[in-house]
Amino acid sequence: PILDQGVSSTKEMNELVAWLAERTGEGASVVIHCVGGLGRAGLGAGSFLKAKGLDAESAIAEARRGATARGGR
């Protein structure tokens, strides 16, 4: 877990990306969440999408597409 208002180390993020790749590669559905869905969840989702081949701008846009602002849209 990444503490609220915190960031992960590079090693921790690489481990998360590897775990996500393994689970989704097995056909599992995965939900990434945090309090607001903007910081930690977005960082994890964006990093995973970047590792899957999206350029940084597209990965961020796709991660944001699934996010809601605190308190809902």
Side-chain angles (χ1 to χ4, degrees), residues 14-28:
N14 287 338
E15 290 171 353
L16 173 63
V17 167
W19 184 87
L20 291 168
E22 187 175 330
R23 297 290 91 67
T24 58
E26 296 168 346

Side-chain angles (χ1 to χ4, degrees), residues 1 3 10-11 17 20 30-31 36 43-44 52 61 65-66 68 72-73:
L3 297 177
T10 301
K11 180 181 182 288
V17 167
L20 291 168
V30 178
V31 175
L43 179 62
K52 296 291 285 181
R65 191 173 70 83
T68 59
R73 284 191 187 188

Side-chain angles (χ1 to χ4, degrees), residues 39-55:
R40 295 165 290 164
L43 179 62
S47 296
F48 175 66
L49 293 169
K50 179 92 170 62
K52 296 291 285 181
L54 271 66
D55 61 83

